[in-house]
Amino acid sequence: MANIKSAIELAMERTKDLVMDEKEKAAFAQRGLEDKLRAIIRRFLEGMTGREKLPGELGAINAGKREKMLLLIDMLLEEFDLPGDKERLFDLLELVGEEAGGGLAGDAKKLKERFREELKANDAGVRAEIMKRLEGMGISGTSIEPNCEEWEEWKDAAQKTGSLFKKRLHEWKNKAEKAPA
């Protein structure tokens, strides 16, 4: 009499010789770590997680502290290339610096201040460009106050400033790599 097998038994028989080697396991674990860190970064940048919860969330991830910090820094550098407000990103860099130690939090705070100063320096020029553009459209007056952050001129200036700071952030990352574990 023939033995009738279930679909699960058939699948188990066909896959019994399939196993992951150590290299594949390590790559799978790395992708998992990256996904967890990206989720934490996204929640923080979108305001769903605050400063007080971040250390607990990072601590809950099962990986080496140094490995997490360096991977986080790489991901934050990628985020810096994207358009948008950089305030929360700098806050996150500061928190990562606190976790990493070695004076990196203070350096992140200084970078944040320099970035703000650079944006303020660009503000007057960009505002004048926008007002000139508005006048060309027939919109003028003393009560006109454009929302600069929504104009392409402002976004371009912020992008240029971001490009300048990218080099400084790479220097910060190199310092983090050399910090004691």
Side-chain angles (χ1 to χ4, degrees), residues 21-33:
D21 64 7
E22 292 305 313
K23 190 176 181 180
E24 290 173 321
K25 287 179 184 178
F28 186 73
Q30 181 70 16
R31 278 194 306 271
L33 175 60

Side-chain angles (χ1 to χ4, degrees), residues 17 27 34-35 69-70 73 75 88 95 105 142 145 152 161:
D17 295 327
E34 289 173 5
D35 290 344
M69 291 307 120
L70 293 177
I73 292 169
M75 290 177 175
R88 297 234 359 131
L95 287 167
T142 57
E145 187 64 37
E152 285 302 315
T161 304

Side-chain angles (χ1 to χ4, degrees), residues 76-157:
L76 291 175
L77 288 174
E78 289 172 13
E79 288 286 332
F80 203 82
D81 287 335
L82 301 175
D85 184 24
K86 305 290 187 235
E87 281 295 313
R88 297 234 359 131
L89 184 59
F90 273 111
D91 288 343
L92 191 50
L93 280 170
E94 193 177 325
L95 287 167
V96 169
E98 288 172 9
E99 288 288 315
L104 291 170
D107 290 348
K109 197 176 279 192
K110 287 176 188 172
L111 282 172
K112 180 179 180 179
E113 290 304 315
R114 286 187 198 143
F115 186 76
R116 281 183 186 161
E117 290 168 5
E118 191 70 29
L119 284 179
K120 280 183 185 177
N122 290 337
D123 186 54
V126 170
R127 191 170 295 278
E129 283 180 42
I130 292 171
M131 292 302 286
K132 189 175 182 181
R133 191 166 154 194
L134 285 171
E135 284 177 17
M137 298 168 142
I139 302 170
S140 63
T142 57
S143 63
I144 302 294
E145 187 64 37
N147 182 3
C148 291
E149 288 84 11
E150 296 302 318
W151 287 74
E152 285 302 315
E153 288 88 342
W154 176 262
K155 292 175 183 174
D156 291 342

Side-chain angles (χ1 to χ4, degrees), residues 45-56:
L45 293 179
E46 292 176 1
M48 293 188 278
T49 302
R51 291 181 68 101
E52 63 284 342
K53 289 186 178 181
L54 190 72

